[in-house]
């Protein structure tokens, strides 16, 4: 895809790009809604990427174009970039430029052409892929020397402040830091990370992603409520973040919350979810991939019953996959739509796929988009292609 993106860049801007970069979407294997509680997450990168052809400019102008959006080149002046003013897709790349400049990095302009294979709005982080690919390109071209985790932080700032979407740090870190064949065990408190081997194929396994293609409209408001509820729980328990409640002290902590029923449920999810991430890490390290199946199922139940962010489409995906023989399944991502994952024996992929298609049709739901996810590399430079730069 990199040649096509470079060629299109040349058509749009008159000369070839200085380079072409890629950054992936991600699925989260386990560790949901823990990233704004200073907790653990475990995403891996998808083979689906946002690809950007980019050249520098020296005149304070940012030109943006996406192959995936109607409309031509959008031209912005760097001095005019203002958080919260852009409701279009351009806010993601412009927000990255804004965040870099605001942090004092000498970015003087860019021409950007983007094309992405990450499904949008499916809970697979097409937005982070877009941010990270632009950040990495500018870091390379302007020789900023930023570490991957620093790029992720700047991209999170772009999304939180410039775009105005409250998100944790997982998506951007996954896109920036994941490695081929591995899941990323990330401590979102200090961004320390470990690459955990996750070679599904070698174990005769597949991971199916079930994109339900629904996104229920109340999802953003509900995300805010969950965040606020978690903060309330931490305050009531006198800790900085729910991460600080040890799993072994959960019952005592819940008892202290008394009749704060909703907070009890939220706290229970976060504390048990962190423990589930640690359990999955231990199992993968021991080479026991199949044994993570039941942990995924526990995670789904906790998101459905305690955190209450599932929906009929996600529950149907999980229940159907399990009934058709999946070793484990759970919703993944923010909830209220988006995607579920199912861990499946290679020999059972067709059976599970068919069962999912039939169940969604029988329920009158939109047909899901199904694909197999293989842990893929994180953000990277694809080439130095340039016909004239
Ligand atoms: P997710 O990150 O789960 O896919 P978001 O709502 O966070 O969902 O981000 C989706 C938004 O990202 C899109 O609405 C669009 O504004 C932007 N986006 C993603 N991919 C592209 C693309 N290829 N071209 C332009 N904008 C994109
Ligand atoms: Mg997103």
């Amino acid at each position: 895809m990199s040649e096509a993106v470079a060629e299109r860049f040349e058509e749009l801007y008159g000369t070839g790009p200085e380079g072409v970069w890629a950054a992936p979407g991600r699925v989260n294997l386990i560790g949901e809604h823990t990233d704004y509680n200073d907790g653990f997450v475990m995403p891996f990168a998808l083979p689906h990427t946002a690809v950007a052809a980019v050249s520098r400019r020296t005149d304070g102008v940012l030109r943006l174009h996406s192959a995936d959006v109607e409309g031509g080149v959008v031209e912005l002046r760097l001095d005019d970039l203002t958080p919260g003013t852009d409701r279009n897709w351009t806010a993601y790349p412009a927000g990255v430029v804004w965040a870099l400049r605001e942090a004092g990095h000498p970015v003087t302009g860019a021409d950007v052409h983007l094309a992405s294979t990450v499904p949008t709005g499916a809970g697979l982080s097409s937005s982070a892929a877009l941010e990270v690919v632009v950040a990495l390109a500018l870091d390379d071209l302007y020789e900023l020397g930023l570490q991957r985790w620093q790029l992720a932080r700047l991209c999170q700032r772009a999304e939180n402040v410039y775009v105005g979407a409250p998100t944790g740090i997982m998506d951007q870190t996954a896109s920036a830091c994941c490695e081929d064949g591995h899941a990323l065990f990330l401590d979102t408190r200090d961004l320390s990370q470990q690459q955990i081997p996750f070679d599904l194929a070698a174990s005769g396994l597949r991971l199916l992603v079930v994109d339900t293609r629904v996104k229920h409209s109340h999802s953003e408001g509900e995300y805010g409520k969950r965040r606020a509820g978690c903060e309330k729980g931490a305050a009531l328990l006198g800790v900085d973040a729910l991460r600080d409640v040890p799993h072994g002290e959960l019952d005592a902590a819940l008892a202290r919350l008394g009749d704060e029923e909703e907070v009890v449920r939220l706290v229970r999810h976060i504390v048990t979810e962190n423990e589930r991430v640690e359990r999955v890490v231990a199992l993968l390290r021991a080479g026991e991939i199949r044994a993570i199946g039941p942990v995924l199922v526990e995670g789904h139940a906790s998101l459905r019953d305690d955190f209450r962010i599932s929906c009929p489409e996600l529950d149907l995906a999980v229940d159907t996959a399990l009934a058709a023989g999946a070793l484990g399944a759970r919703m993944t991502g923010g909830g209220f739509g988006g995607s579920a994952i199912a861990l499946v024996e290679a020999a059972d992929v067709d059976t599970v796929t068919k069962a999912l298609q039939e169940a969604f049709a029988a329920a009158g739901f939109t047909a899901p988009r199904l694909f197999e996810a293989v842990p893929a590399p994180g953000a990277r430079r694809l080439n130095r292609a340039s016909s004239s730069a």
Side-chain angles (χ1 to χ4, degrees):
M1 163 143 118
S2 75
E3 281 86 40
V5 174
E7 274 167 31
R8 184 78 179 110
F9 181 101
E10 185 159 359
E11 282 170 27
L12 289 162
Y13 299 120
T15 58
E18 288 185 89
V20 181
W21 290 260
R26 61 97 190 99
V27 284
N28 191 21
L29 184 60
I30 188 86
E32 217 63 78
H33 286 256
T34 44
D35 69 342
Y36 52 84
N37 290 288
D38 278 3
F40 304 128
V41 295
M42 206 178 178
F44 65 88
L46 290 171
H48 308 66
T49 57
V51 173
V54 183
S55 286
R56 282 167 291 180
R57 297 178 66 95
T58 54
D59 59 356
V61 168
L62 175 63
R63 294 196 291 182
L64 300 169
H65 185 267
S66 169
D68 310 309
V69 175
E70 298 276 321
V73 172
V74 176
E75 187 166 322
L76 304 164
R77 294 205 53 82
L78 299 188
D79 288 341
D80 295 340
L81 298 181
T82 311
T85 55
D86 186 352
R87 295 275 151 249
N88 298 312
W89 73 272
T90 46
Y92 295 91
V96 171
V97 175
W98 170 82
L100 282 166
R101 280 165 56 84
E102 211 223 10
H105 301 295
V107 175
T108 54
D111 286 338
V112 179
H113 168 61
L114 289 152
S116 179
T117 55
V118 186
T120 58
L124 303 173
S125 274
S126 70
S127 61
L130 217 56
E131 292 152 8
V132 170
V133 76
V134 170
L136 182 65
L138 295 174
D139 175 65
D140 266 0
L141 288 175
Y142 282 96
E143 298 179 0
L144 303 177
L146 294 165
Q147 310 263 329
R148 293 298 176 110
W149 66 267
Q150 292 176 302
L151 293 178
R153 274 268 184 251
L154 286 163
C155 290
Q156 183 198 14
R157 190 160 162 71
E159 185 146 353
N160 289 172
V161 181
Y162 197 90
V163 177
T167 59
I169 188 66
M170 169 172 65
D171 299 350
Q172 293 84 1
T173 311
S175 186
C177 301
C178 277
E179 287 180 10
D180 201 12
H182 292 75
L184 179 74
F185 175 34
L186 175 70
D187 180 339
T188 63
R189 169 159 277 170
D190 61 6
L191 298 192
S192 61
Q193 37 183 276
Q194 294 170 44
Q195 302 288 344
I196 309 294
F198 187 45
D199 190 345
L200 292 156
S203 302
L205 294 170
R206 300 286 182 272
L207 197 107
L208 271 185
V209 177
V210 187
D211 171 8
T212 64
R213 298 167 77 190
V214 295
K215 187 80 201 166
H216 295 290
S217 57
H218 55 294
S219 64
E220 254 185 51
E222 294 293 329
Y223 180 92
K225 281 189 211 162
R226 298 304 181 284
R227 261 186 107 128
C230 289
E231 279 162 23
K232 183 175 176 187
L236 288 171
L237 294 169
V239 290
D240 286 345
L242 292 181
R243 145 69 176 282
D244 296 311
V245 180
H247 188 252
E249 291 168 26
L250 176 60
D251 289 344
L254 296 183
R256 280 172 57 206
L257 291 169
D259 56 5
E260 291 274 358
E261 238 179 81
E262 194 188 329
V263 179
V264 164
R265 283 191 283 100
L266 298 180
V267 171
R268 187 163 52 213
H269 168 71
I270 298 298
V271 175
T272 58
E273 186 78 349
N274 278 326
E275 188 272 337
R276 279 186 287 273
V277 178
E278 295 188 284
R279 233 188 308 157
V280 166
V281 169
L283 288 168
L284 291 184
R285 283 220 173 95
E288 295 181 42
I289 301 194
R290 281 176 179 75
I292 74 172
V295 191
L296 303 184
V297 178
E298 271 177 45
H300 185 75
S302 180
L303 289 163
R304 181 190 60 209
D305 303 335
D306 271 347
F307 223 64
R308 301 197 182 174
I309 57 168
S310 191
C311 64
E313 293 86 351
L314 289 169
D315 288 341
L316 183 67
V318 168
D319 294 344
T320 304
L322 292 173
L327 298 165
R330 61 181 284 270
M331 56 156 285
T332 183
F336 304 107
S339 300
I341 53 173
L343 182 69
V344 179
E345 299 284 356
D348 292 339
V349 168
D350 290 346
T351 314
V352 173
T353 299
K354 193 157 170 282
L356 286 164
Q357 286 162 341
E358 287 174 359
F360 273 65
F365 293 156
T366 306
R369 177 168 31 201
L370 295 161
F371 61 93
E372 290 178 21
V374 188
R380 62 214 180 264
R381 188 166 190 160
L382 294 181
N383 63 13
R384 285 160 202 281
S386 168
S387 50
S388 49

